[in-house]
Amino acid sequence: DYEFRYFAIPQECMMVMKNAIRVDQFHPSKRPAEPAVGFNILCTRSTYHSDMGLDTMAAAYERLREAGHAVTMTIVGRIPDSVWPQIARLKGDPNVEFLAFLEKEVLKERIDRSGVCVVPFKDVPDLAQTYPIKVFEYMALAKPVIVSDIDGMSELIDDGETGLLFRAGDPADLFEKIVSVDADPAFAARLGEKARAASMACDYAVKGKSILDMLNRLTAC
């Protein structure tokens, strides 16, 4: 819709739809996280670039450890040489795990076992219009989700209800949001439950029907 607006396409001529997933492929478990794992912060991407906020995530994680929170962090995805300097200080930290790639089912298991899932994108034009599939997957697995308050992702999350928004690029605010989830398991569970319910609207079948209905109306004209 950003591109359509740029070219002055009238709003009434647009049908705006976010990404979609097959919600029935995501089954949140009811088991508690294993004590040995503790409260795990999970970030996942296929490949990171410098605007995806790993430096923000790293700074928030360091604040958590310095404040005495027993958290661990898992970063899944390829990190190019140009991005490593943002998080170089985390290399060798026994509580931080770097995984370049995980098969889909294994990744879903890791999401399911995490304490919170974070998307720390920065507020830049190229990311403002993104609606990451991973956000829907986190929600479908009933995980508390924390995302930066850039335009696209702010449309996916009802702040305080289906997830939390933090100020993009602000590790102190991200720290506070993670603490609020870590310190209150009941709050975290409520966020996850509401996220799971909200994810139903992102299912392929729901969106497919909307597209079919629109095509039927157009062909009937």
Side-chain angles (χ1 to χ4, degrees), residues 20-138:
I21 63 171
R22 298 188 185 279
V23 176
D24 61 358
Q25 294 182 356
F26 295 84
H27 306 285
S29 70
K30 300 299 182 181
R31 68 171 184 278
E34 294 179 2
V37 174
F39 188 83
N40 181 252
I41 303 163
L42 181 69
C43 293
T44 67
R45 288 292 299 171
S46 55
T47 301
Y48 293 90
H49 59 69
S50 59
D51 291 327
M52 288 183 170
L54 282 184
D55 48 351
T56 304
M57 186 67 258
Y61 164 79
E62 289 177 321
R63 286 173 179 255
L64 289 160
R65 297 296 302 187
E66 290 167 2
H69 295 274
V71 298
T72 61
M73 184 163 65
T74 302
I75 297 176
V76 179
R78 191 178 73 84
I79 303 174
D81 291 342
S82 60
V83 179
W84 269 113
Q86 292 187 345
I87 53 173
R89 60 192 182 276
L90 298 183
K91 282 187 175 181
D93 186 326
N95 297 300
V96 179
E97 184 179 25
F98 295 101
L99 300 168
F101 174 78
L102 290 176
E103 295 288 347
K104 185 176 180 180
E105 293 305 313
V106 177
L107 178 58
K108 285 195 290 188
E109 174 72 12
R110 295 300 291 261
I111 294 170
D112 190 48
R113 298 168 73 90
S114 65
V116 65
C117 298
V118 179
V119 184
F121 288 179
K122 296 182 179 180
D123 189 5
V124 296
D126 282 349
L127 293 176
Q129 57 186 304
T130 58
Y131 307 100
I133 286 287
K134 283 293 177 288
V135 174
F136 297 115
E137 294 178 351
Y138 300 153

Side-chain angles (χ1 to χ4, degrees), residues 140-207:
L141 282 166
K143 304 312 298 183
V145 183
I146 302 176
V147 303
S148 54
D149 60 354
I150 60 178
D151 289 345
M153 290 198 295
S154 294
E155 295 178 24
L156 305 182
I157 297 295
D158 182 3
D159 191 27
E161 294 293 322
T162 62
L164 297 174
L165 301 176
F166 78 96
R167 288 186 297 275
D170 186 343
D173 193 39
L174 177 54
F175 162 85
E176 294 293 343
K177 295 303 192 304
I178 294 174
V179 168
S180 71
V181 174
D182 183 18
D184 191 343
F187 175 55
R190 286 197 302 274
L191 287 177
E193 289 167 4
K194 291 181 178 180
R196 170 71 181 178
S199 74
M200 298 300 178
C202 306
D203 186 70
Y204 268 94
V206 174
K207 298 205 171 187

